[in-house]
Structure formats: C-alpha cells, structure tokens
C-alpha cells in the first residue's frame, strides 16, 4: 500500500471581513479634518505624492503579504497532511495485520479505536466483510464519519484497482482530499489493505491550522496597514521637503506680482530647486531693473508734460489776451482778415483748454490730485453748472432739491460739464439730466476706465441700476446722476474706449473741437471720490452716461491740492465719439 496523489476536492478556508463604524468626534476633530482637507486638496501636489507613495507601498506590502501567506499556508497544510497520512497508513497496516481476513464487527471496532487513539487524533472508519458475508462499518464517531459523509469520488478512487506494472507496484493507493463539515475544514483520507482486508477511512480536523493561518493573515494585514501608514508619513515628510521650496517660490511670486520687486529667495543647496530659486532671483532682479527704468521714464514723461504745460501757460496768457482784443475788434477788421482772426481765437482757446487738461491729467498720474470736500445740494450744483455754460435751453433737469452730498464741488462741476457738454456736442437734443439716490450694493465691477458694458438704463425715477459700476459699498445709499441724449448712440466697438485718453472713434477725423481728454478727466474725478462712470446705449435710442458717487466722499490723506489746481478745465468729450 502506497500513498497516492489526491483524487480531488479540497478544503475552503473562509475569510472573515471586519467593519468599523465611525464615531462622532468633537469640534476639535472636525477642525482637524477640515484642516487636513485643506492641506490635501484633490489637485494638490502633496496629495498626489502621498497617494503615489501609498499605492507603491500598498502594492509591495500586499504582494509580499500574499506570497508569504500562500507559502506559509501550503507549508502548514502539507506538514499536517503528510504527518496525518503517514500515521494513518502505518496505523492501518499495524491494526489490520492481526485481524483475520473476514473480521467480526467487534474486532473492526476495536481496531478502529486503537487507530484513533494515536497522536494525530483523527476519527477512523473501518469497513470489512465478516465470515457470513455481511458488510460491517466500524466508526469511532457516528455523527462525524460514516459511509454517507465520505465523498463518493474518494470512495470510488479507494475501491479502484490499478493494474500492477513496473511503474505501479501496488493495485491500491492512499487517497485524500479536504472538505468542510459544519464550517470546519477536515482532511479525509482512505485506503484499502493490499492482499485482502478492511478498507479504512480517517477524518482529521484542520481547525487548528485554519486558526493559525487566520492569525497569520491578520498579522500580515496589520503589517500591511502599518507599512501603508509608514509610507504615507514618509511621503508627507518627503513632500514637505520637496514642496517647501516650491511654496516659498509661490509666495515670492505672489509678492512680486503685488509689486514688491525687491523680493528674493534664500538659496541653499545645489539641486534643481536651488537652480530654480536662483533663476527666480535673477528674473526678479532684471524685472526690478526694468520696472525702475520704465518708472523713471514715465516719471520723466510726466515731468516733461507738467513742465511743458506750465511753460506754455505764460505765452498762452499773453496770446489769450491778444486774441480777446482781436475778438472785440473783429467787427472793425477787414472782412478778408476776420476769418483768420476768428480761427486764431478758436484755436487759442482750444490750445488753452488742452494745456489745462494736460495739467489736470498730470496731477492725476502723479497722485497729487486732492479733494476739497464740502456739503452741497446736488440739484443746485447741477443747475449752476448748466446755467454757467448757458445750457438751460438745451438741457432738461430732473432733480429734487434737498439732496445733500459731501463731495468736491469743483470736481463735480468738471464731471457734469464734460458729460453734459459731450452729450450736447455728439448726441442729440434734448439732453436729460436726472439726479437720484439709490441703494449702494456690491457689484462685480469691471474697470470703469474701460467703460461699461451696454445695458439698458432708464432715466426715469427708479430706473434699473447698471450692474457694472464701481464705488458701491454694501448698505447705505449712493448718488446717481444720469445724462441721456437722443442721438444715434455709441457704436458697440467704441463703448469700451469712450474713457480712453485721446481716443477717436474714426481715424478719418483727426481734428475736432475737443482735446479728447474730457471724459477721461471726468472718470478720474469720479474715481478720486470713490465712484465711477459708465456708458451705455438706451433701448429707445441715444447714449446714457451714469455717474455714481458715494454720499460721503473719502477724506484726503494729506493736505489740499496744489495751488495750480484751482483752475477749472472746460467740459468736453472725446474726439469723434460717435
């Protein structure tokens, strides 16, 4: 009798799953979780490094644990199985050697008990035929091992007689397989005594081996989890080491973008990050030099314009006096000379206006323009502006008296003169001016200097507010002055540029009566009050300019505006607005 290979079947070791329920944490835990979520955003490089490290460590740990578990499982089962099969074969030979060829049931039962009393502690079933030809089955555990519990495939393999030859010296072999009974794994084996005699089966529990393998699996799982945590911590440390220079670089770039051109990085080491820091420092240094050079040129240009404007004022004063005399004597001049004199007078006035506007623009660019605040009645202020320029017959005013606002009256007059004068010059009559107070609400403002998007505005009381204004503050009220004409409106391509300096809607109109600085100066005066101006087209035709100012303008930081700021620029619009 020799041991053979398993005929089929095997034990199935069940795997247990454990689940953990989350416990509600306190405010500290929630705060830490929010902080961790902020640190490990889905798009952050830190999170990607941690995930990659964790995946690599998890893959390595799971592979190593799986291989170790598989090797240990086979070793444990093979050792237990071989020991049990070897003991069963020897016990079957020893116990049946003294039995007669046709033993009685009692003799089989005694032999079965003797075999089961061995060190392997397995259950035995002996099947034989007595002298009367009756089959007898003796088992040491009727509830566990009977003919019905033995797999039919194993019984067929045990009963099979193989031809004896040089490759197969025995007609019968020892066969085994693993199976579960009631959730407990067992090793079932059977063999037939060569030369006649009983057939023996044994069933050995593998519960101890399963328990050992389960403990091994838990140990490997814990080791894998620890390796995963360790890799995450290592990845965090590595990410911190790698990302700290990147974070410093990002902070320095933001500082540079905010105008702090002297920002530099401290360079340590010779790696790629150090090279990147050196490159940033060189770039920042060159940028600072370039900006300083451009700032110097811009300052020189502003000084040149200011100096030129101041220098022009002296000869312009004399020329203006002469032109006034010529204008008074125009009726007595030769008719051939009168048109030339009138041209000189008009061009002198235009040149004088241009010089005054250039001086005003220079003050805005240099940041020296200051507010001289006073409480004024807006209706009276608008009326005075219209009356001073003899526009009462061409302008319709819709304003209630008693609207008191704290602002700079001179600068408000400049704004109104430019807006109304622009409407009269380029729009169509009648020009309607409405004064209202509206709730100040925060809006998503575009730069007012670029002009407002074309939106429908009503000049009637309670008209809808332009949602592209600056100078609004949440809560309270703001002053809203709308100037509407009934002309052809502003072309869509011109709207974003109506507040640009010297902008002309048509290149074919290089000359006009204005300097092209009026609306730009009006916008700057609105900005210095904390407000803004927008331009739009009315649905019924014509253009609408909307001025929004806070009810209480911000106080100037220091001093009053320069003495030469007392001059009032004339109101005018951009060249060729239509």
């Amino acid at each position: 009798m020799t041991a053979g290979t398993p005929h089929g079947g095997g034990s199935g070791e069940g795997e247990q799953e454990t689940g953990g329920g989350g416990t509600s944490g306190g405010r500290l835990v929630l705060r830490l979780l929010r902080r961790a979520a902020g640190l490990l955003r889905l798009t952050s490089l830190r999170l990607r490094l941690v995930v990659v490290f964790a995946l690599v460590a998890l893959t390595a740990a799971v592979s190593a644990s799986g291989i170790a578990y598989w090797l240990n499982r086979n070793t444990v089962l093979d050792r237990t199985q071989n020991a049990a099969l070897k003991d069963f074969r020897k016990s079957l030979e020893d116990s049946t050697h003294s039995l007669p060829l046709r033993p009685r049931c009692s003799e089989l039962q005694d032999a079965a008990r003797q075999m089961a009393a061995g060190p392997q502690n397995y259950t035995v079933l002996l099947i034989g035929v007595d002298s009367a030809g009756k089959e007898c089955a003796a088992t040491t555990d009727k509830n566990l091992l009977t003919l019905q519990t033995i797999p039919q495939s194993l019984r067929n393999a045990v009963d099979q007689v193989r031809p004896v030859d040089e490759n197969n010296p025995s007609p019968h072999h020892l066969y085994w397989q693993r199976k579960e009974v009631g959730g407990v794994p067992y090793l079932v084996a059977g063999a037939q005594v060569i030369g006649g005699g009983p057939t023996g089966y044994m069933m050995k529990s593998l519960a101890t081996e399963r328990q050992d393998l389960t403990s091994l699996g838990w140990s490997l799982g814990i080791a894998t989890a620890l390796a995963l945590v360790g890799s995450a911590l290592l990845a965090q440390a590595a990410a911190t080491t790698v990302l700290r220079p990147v974070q410093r670089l990002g902070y320095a770039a933001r500082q540079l973008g905010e105008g702090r051109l002297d920002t530099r990085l401290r360079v340590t080491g010779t790696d790629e990050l150090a090279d990147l820091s050196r490159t940033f420092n060189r770039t920042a240094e060159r940028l600072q030099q370039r900006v300083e050079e451009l700032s110097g040129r811009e300052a020189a240009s502003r000084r040149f314009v200011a100096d030129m404007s101041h220098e022009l004022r002296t000869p312009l004063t004399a020329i203006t006096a002469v032109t006034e005399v010529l204008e008074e004597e125009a009726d007595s001049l030769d008719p051939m000379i009168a048109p030339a004199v009138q041209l000189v007078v008009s061009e002198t006035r235009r040149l004088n206006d241009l010089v005054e506007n250039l001086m005003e623009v220079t003050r805005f660019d240099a940041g020296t323009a200051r507010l001289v605040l006073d409480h004024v009645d807006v209706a009276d202020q608008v009326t005075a502006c219209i009356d001073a320029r003899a526009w009462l017959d061409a302008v319709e005013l819709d304003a209630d008296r008693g609207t008191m606002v704290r602002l700079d009256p001179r600068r408000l007059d400049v704004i109104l003169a430019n807006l109304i004068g622009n409407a009269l010059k380029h729009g169509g009559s009648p020009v309607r001016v409405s004064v209202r107070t509206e709730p100040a609400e925060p809006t998503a403002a575009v730069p007012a200097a670029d002009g407002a998007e074309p939106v429908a505005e009503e000049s009637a009381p309670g008209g809808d507010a332009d949602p592209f204004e600056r100078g609004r503050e949440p809560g309270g009220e703001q002053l809203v002055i709308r100037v509407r004409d009934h002309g052809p409106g502003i072309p869509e391509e011109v709207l974003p540029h109506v507040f640009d300096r010297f902008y002309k809607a048509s290149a074919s109109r290089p000359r006009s009566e204005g300097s092209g600085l009026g609306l730009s100066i009006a916008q700057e005066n609105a900005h210095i009050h904390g407000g803004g101006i927008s331009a739009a087209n009315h649905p019924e035709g014509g253009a609408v300019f909307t001025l929004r100012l806070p009810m209480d303008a911000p106080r100037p930081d220091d001093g009053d505006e320069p003495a030469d700021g007392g001059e009032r620029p004339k109101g005018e619009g951009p060249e060729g607005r239509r």
Side-chain angles (χ1 to χ4, degrees), residues 353-365 369 410-419 498-502 515-529 533 547 567-574:
D353 293 341
L354 177 59
V355 171
E356 296 296 339
N357 287 336
L358 284 175
M359 293 179 63
E360 185 75 3
V361 169
T362 302
R363 282 191 289 270
F364 283 120
D365 290 344
R410 184 186 71 82
R411 295 190 182 277
L412 177 61
D413 183 80
V414 171
I415 297 173
L416 294 174
N418 279 287
L419 294 182
V498 293
F499 298 101
D500 293 352
R501 298 174 183 177
F502 300 108
S515 65
L517 293 173
L519 288 182
S520 175
I521 292 176
Q523 184 72 280
E524 294 293 345
N525 279 297
H527 286 173
I528 200 173
H529 280 87
I533 307 175
L547 167 67
E567 295 293 330
R568 175 174 299 175
K570 301 294 190 297
E572 54 185 323

Side-chain angles (χ1 to χ4, degrees), residues 85-101:
L85 293 177
K86 182 178 179 180
D87 183 80
F88 173 69
R89 183 175 61 243
K90 186 175 185 304
S91 297
L92 184 60
E93 292 177 351
D94 294 343
S95 299
T96 58
H97 181 71
S98 57
L99 290 177
L101 186 60

